[in-house]
Amino acid sequence: MEFHEDIIFKSQGQVYGQELMDIINIEGKIVEVHQTEYGIIDPKMYKPDMVFELEDRIIILEFQSTYVDISDKKRFRLYSALFDHLKNKSQKDIEVHVLSTVEAEKTKCYKINPDSSFPIYIHSLKSYDGDEFLNMINTKISNNQQLSEKELLLISLICFMETKKGIEFSILNSAVAITNVPDLDKDIAQFVKGVVLMLCDKFVVDESLNMTISNLVGGNMKIVEDYAQRKVDESKRRFVINLDKEGYGIEDIARIADVSLDFVNQTLSK
């Protein structure tokens, strides 16, 4: 999704990227935010999420919803090698950091040879109760209370917290919450929405839900209601079909499923 790059990698990326790093507990001051498109290899497969140049080193930050395996390790090592070759004019050390939805804080290594290994630093936000945090945010929004910049950034990261919701619906909750914040400052709104869109693009496999979140963040509130209604209708259609297979008559199906006769007829005629 190209939209997130237009949003995140602007001047405000340095300001809010710094706060994002503070939340993840990555130390250092950002001096530049780099574009992540290298252009010489498949951008769909090899494209870091964020690259922050600090005073003393360079941070490649990845968002991950699965355990970091050997293929990920090789990919992250390639990121660092490509950036070092193409853009690292200062010759600073490069580190890869991963914010994970599933792994605890740890350091993993990719062993290049017996004498050399490449560290990958895993970060977690599981210390946050995502459901409790979302309830607090929604209460503040309902009471017209001002949210801090940290709270706004955390809204976009709910899927990394401990939550009873799946990743996809946690991202939907982030999108709904951030679009409900009144009088949101334009700069941080762009950055936070950009993060939500990036996570949507990476983690939301369901095409309908992906489109729902994208449209919602883009300003179309009605799309959420439409998505919810589609899901209800799909569930009812499956129920109607199952009742028909069990031999129930059309009127009984309509009564049991609590739908109209037209809905039953349309469902069974497809």
Side-chain angles (χ1 to χ4, degrees):
M1 185 179 297
E2 297 179 356
F3 181 62
H4 76 257
E5 287 187 335
D6 294 336
I7 292 172
I8 292 175
F9 300 109
K10 290 184 177 179
S11 59
Q12 64 265 29
Q14 186 169 330
V15 176
Y16 302 119
Q18 186 69 60
E19 293 204 34
L20 180 62
M21 289 217 317
D22 292 343
I23 289 172
I24 301 172
N25 293 320
I26 302 175
E27 296 182 355
K29 181 179 180 181
I30 296 176
V31 296
E32 187 176 353
V33 178
H34 289 272
Q35 294 281 356
T36 62
E37 176 60 75
Y38 297 146
I40 64 172
I41 48 180
D42 183 358
K44 292 182 179 179
M45 184 174 183
Y46 298 108
K47 190 175 184 180
D49 291 331
M50 295 183 182
V51 180
F52 299 129
E53 182 169 350
L54 311 186
E55 292 176 319
D56 60 342
R57 66 199 194 283
I58 291 165
I59 301 294
I60 294 176
L61 177 61
E62 280 289 298
F63 299 118
Q64 187 94 353
S65 63
T66 57
Y67 286 87
V68 173
D69 60 18
I70 187 63
S71 63
D72 295 314
K73 293 177 180 179
K74 290 181 177 180
R75 177 165 53 90
F76 299 155
R77 178 67 182 92
L78 178 58
Y79 287 171
S80 67
L82 281 170
F83 189 91
D84 192 38
H85 177 66
L86 297 173
K87 295 188 177 183
N88 191 10
K89 297 178 181 179
S90 62
Q91 299 301 305
K92 294 177 180 178
D93 291 342
I94 301 173
E95 296 177 356
V96 171
H97 292 251
V98 176
L99 180 58
S100 174
T101 65
V102 292
E103 295 198 70
E105 302 269 348
K106 67 184 72 172
T107 300
K108 289 189 171 182
C109 288
Y110 171 46
K111 194 170 185 179
I112 301 168
N113 57 55
D115 301 316
S116 179
S117 62
F118 179 70
I120 298 163
Y121 304 97
I122 312 292
H123 301 267
S124 172
L125 294 180
K126 293 299 184 183
S127 59
Y128 288 90
D129 184 321
D131 300 323
E132 186 177 295
F133 172 75
L134 183 61
N135 287 336
M136 181 270 290
I137 290 297
N138 287 333
T139 299
K140 279 195 168 186
I141 292 173
S142 298
N143 294 332
N144 293 317
Q145 293 177 267
Q146 188 172 358
L147 301 178
S148 68
E149 289 184 348
K150 180 178 180 179
E151 287 172 331
L152 292 169
L153 286 167
L154 282 169
I155 289 173
S156 69
L157 302 175
I158 290 174
C159 70
F160 294 99
M161 301 178 185
E162 190 67 40
T163 174
K164 295 178 182 177
K165 301 290 185 182
I167 293 175
E168 294 188 330
F169 281 93
S170 293
I171 295 172
L172 174 61
N173 285 337
S174 293
V176 171
I178 202 65
T179 53
N180 281 338
V181 178
D183 303 321
L184 188 58
D185 177 76
K186 181 180 178 182
D187 285 346
I188 193 167
Q190 288 182 329
F191 187 86
V192 172
K193 288 179 179 181
V195 173
V196 172
L197 286 173
M198 177 187 289
L199 297 176
C200 174
D201 192 39
K202 285 179 70 79
F203 299 153
V204 180
V205 178
D206 184 292
E207 291 184 4
S208 179
L209 184 56
N210 189 299
M211 184 178 296
T212 295
I213 294 170
S214 299
N215 280 289
L216 174 60
V217 174
N220 188 351
M221 289 295 292
K222 188 175 182 299
I223 198 72
V224 175
E225 298 175 5
D226 291 344
Y227 176 80
Q229 187 58 52
R230 286 198 304 274
K231 285 300 182 184
V232 170
D233 289 346
E234 288 172 10
S235 177
K236 287 186 175 181
R237 275 192 286 271
R238 287 194 297 269
F239 190 30
V240 165
I241 291 171
N242 288 336
L243 289 173
D244 179 61
K245 289 179 179 179
E246 292 296 324
Y248 287 93
I250 292 178
E251 291 186 357
D252 286 334
I253 292 174
R255 177 177 54 80
I256 296 170
D258 192 25
V259 295
S260 67
L261 287 172
D262 286 342
F263 185 91
V264 174
N265 288 323
Q266 289 174 8
T267 300
L268 297 180
S269 66
K270 292 182 179 179

